[in-house]
Amino acid sequence: MTPRTNQRIDGKRLWDSLMDMARFGATPKGGVKRLTLTDIDRQGRDFFRTNCEAAGLAVRIDGMGNMFARRPGRDPARLPVLFGSHLDSQPTGGKFDGALGVIAGLEVMRSLNDLGITTEAPVELINWTDEEGSRFGHSLMGSGVWAGVYTQEKMQALADPDGVTVGEALVEIGYAGPEVAAPFPADAYFELHIEQGPILEAEGKQIGIVTGGQAQVWYGAVVTGRDSHAGTTPPARRRDALVAAARIIDLVDRMMRARGEDGRGTVGRLTVLPNSCNVIPGEVRFSVEFRHPDEAEIGRLAAQFPREAGFIARDCEVTLELTELFRIPAQPFDPECVELVRQATRKLGLSAREIVSGAGHDAVYVARHVPTAMIFTPCKDGLSHNEAESILPEEAEAGCQVLFEAVLARANRAL
Ligand code: GLV
Ligand code: MN
Ligand code: MN
């Protein structure tokens, strides 16, 4: 790590805390399964909260379970500088997706304490609820409600595959806060995250200066055919929902590939009913998502996909119910906040490049209300949403030091 500052975060403490957090939901393959609002998530949240309080931070929880840990500034009239990420994970997630930003935020707070720094503005560390969307099928949930994109009521009514709603799960783990999640005035938001893709590693860059997030659209699809006997139903009588779904999945892949290197199209979840070897499937439910840096391209995909999927359903003599769950426009980040990240990398002598985020992040919704920027660090083989996700301690330290510098510069800026 670069010695170009005498205000250093503690890289070893950061790494140790990341490994401590990774114990909650640790999987045999070295990853993490910390699904949102489960008891494992509760344990991770409790650990985070205890450590925030031990660092002298005042923790509050909103109605979506978003956690806010505040450190006062010298001037209480100034708006807070926010930073954070998420502690929930995918079912086969890694140790760093989300956790890096939250635990690095904790290290920023601890370092401010150790260095005896009182910032001009208050600073506030956030753990957003359910960034991943893997349990209730809706990503960026806590930040989305906070930003006013979705109502708390609507999100709390979403149920997981066992029928447990978000609202019930929040109460069950003791993280249903009293105040409705809503944006409050803030001066800036910074989020440190692993890149989750291959670009920084391939170019040997230590830091990604994130200029914005790409557009996306998500659907829920239900194909309904007819259950019938596998051995007796001849081809003309089959209404096979899975065959139709398979052709629609192939359509998603073809539409993605038609858009070249920038195209993204995924079916990641699929339920087959009745899921019996000798019954022609009568119903298939699945997710569809497309992403692209160019918002106009998402508009074209959203016009084309329902129409072409409908043709496939008609040819297969099944019905298709397609619900657009959400559409997120491309979100540019705030030039002044991005500049603070750029300046921090220069000051520290770190190699860096500008980058558009391929993954979705809470920062994309926060940016609708608060000037926002993100910082990326490389990850091994560009791999994420995988238990093998891995970063080096010095990469985490460099990212955290950039976060520290950007937060400090913003919180102490002349108004
Ligand atoms: C979040 O991890 C996403 O990009 O879907
Ligand atoms: Mn993430
Ligand atoms: Mn993720």
Side-chain angles (χ1 to χ4, degrees), residues 7-22:
Q7 294 184 323
R8 299 276 304 276
I9 61 102
D10 184 335
K12 178 172 182 329
R13 179 171 56 189
L14 167 65
W15 190 257
D16 289 347
S17 295
L18 279 165
M19 294 305 112
D20 284 344
M21 180 53 74

Side-chain angles (χ1 to χ4, degrees), residues 77-288:
R78 282 182 62 151
L79 299 179
V81 174
L82 313 177
F83 46 101
S85 194
H86 61 97
L87 289 175
D88 68 312
S89 85
Q90 292 287 332
T92 53
K95 299 186 197 73
F96 305 99
D97 174 1
L100 175 64
V102 177
I103 299 302
L106 178 61
E107 177 53 37
V108 167
M109 295 294 200
R110 288 167 163 168
S111 296
L112 290 172
N113 289 350
D114 291 352
L115 295 163
I117 296 172
T118 304
T119 51
E120 288 297 312
V123 288
E124 197 156 324
L125 168 59
I126 305 174
N127 169 34
W128 298 107
T129 293
D130 194 357
E131 188 269 357
E132 296 289 5
S134 43
R135 180 173 173 196
F136 298 97
H138 197 301
S139 73
L140 307 177
M141 194 188 283
S143 55
V145 174
W146 184 87
V149 187
Y150 317 112
T151 65
Q152 182 165 302
E153 198 183 1
K154 185 173 166 202
M155 289 300 109
Q156 286 198 353
L158 292 180
D160 71 5
D162 296 326
V164 179
T165 65
V166 170
E168 289 163 352
L170 279 164
V171 171
E172 175 72 26
I173 68 160
Y175 274 88
E179 34 168 317
V180 173
F184 48 82
D187 183 52
Y189 175 72
F190 294 94
E191 182 166 343
L192 170 66
H193 206 285
I194 58 169
E195 179 203 338
Q196 306 186 271
I199 298 170
L200 296 177
E201 184 184 58
E203 296 185 8
K205 299 283 196 260
Q206 291 163 292
I207 296 291
I209 302 162
V210 189
T211 54
Q214 65 179 348
Q216 41 181 309
V217 58
W218 286 36
Y219 298 92
V222 183
V223 176
T224 308
R226 186 178 60 204
D227 301 356
S228 61
H229 197 292
T232 60
T233 314
R237 287 177 180 248
R238 297 164 90 99
R239 306 283 177 269
D240 189 329
L242 184 55
V243 168
R247 290 178 186 161
I248 294 170
I249 293 167
D250 181 56
L251 170 68
V252 171
D253 191 63
R254 283 186 282 116
M255 286 178 65
M256 169 189 77
R257 287 174 196 281
R259 278 148 180 96
E261 270 299 292
D262 281 339
R264 302 285 186 273
T266 305
V267 174
R269 173 185 274 186
L270 182 134
T271 308
V272 180
L273 295 169
N275 210 22
S276 173
C277 300
N278 48 359
V279 180
I280 295 164
E283 184 176 308
V284 175
R285 297 174 170 263
F286 58 102
S287 61
V288 178

